[in-house]
């Protein structure tokens, strides 16, 4: 995989914290940036997926779906606590 160099501007205090954190983790500054960006992007993808799931379920269930939900609600307690 090709690597691309980039430059960014940071507040000095943030840069110092990055330096300290990278040293504590025994990784390079670049490695820390990669980890941070990967985590940010994963959280963003997860949020987008959750938003899509919520949008898909935002409407009320139709009659068939409601019957299924009602049946599950009736059946589940019997399965979880049969005594």
């Amino acid at each position: 995989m090709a690597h691309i160099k980039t430059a960014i501007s940071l507040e000095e205090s943030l840069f110092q914290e990055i330096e300290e954190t990278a040293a504590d983790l025994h990784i390079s500054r670049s490695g820390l940036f990669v980890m941070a960006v990967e985590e940010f992007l994963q959280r963003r993808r997860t949020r987008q997926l959750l938003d899509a799931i919520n949008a898909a379920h935002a409407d009320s269930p139709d009659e068939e779906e409601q019957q299924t939900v009602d049946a599950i609600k009736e059946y589940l307690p019997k399965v979880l606590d049969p005594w």
Side-chain angles (χ1 to χ4, degrees):
M1 177 182 285
H3 292 153
I4 299 172
K5 285 191 169 223
T6 186
I8 60 172
S9 297
L10 303 169
E11 294 289 330
E12 188 173 342
S13 60
L14 179 59
F15 179 80
Q16 283 306 121
E17 189 172 357
I18 291 166
E19 286 280 288
E20 292 167 9
T21 302
D24 288 346
L25 296 173
H26 304 287
I27 61 174
S28 67
R29 235 186 359 250
S30 291
L32 181 60
F33 277 106
V34 169
M35 287 173 52
V37 170
E38 286 174 340
E39 182 176 338
F40 172 82
L41 293 174
Q42 181 60 45
R43 287 181 183 205
R44 184 170 186 263
R45 287 189 296 269
T46 300
R47 170 51 61 191
Q48 289 172 329
L49 178 59
L50 182 58
D51 289 346
I53 290 169
N54 287 336
H57 293 281
D59 62 337
S60 299
D62 61 27
E63 187 176 333
E64 183 181 346
E65 290 171 328
Q66 190 59 53
Q67 288 173 352
T68 302
V69 169
D70 292 342
I72 291 170
K73 285 181 180 179
E74 184 177 323
Y75 177 74
L76 196 56
K78 295 174 187 173
V79 174
L80 295 177
D81 189 13
W83 309 106

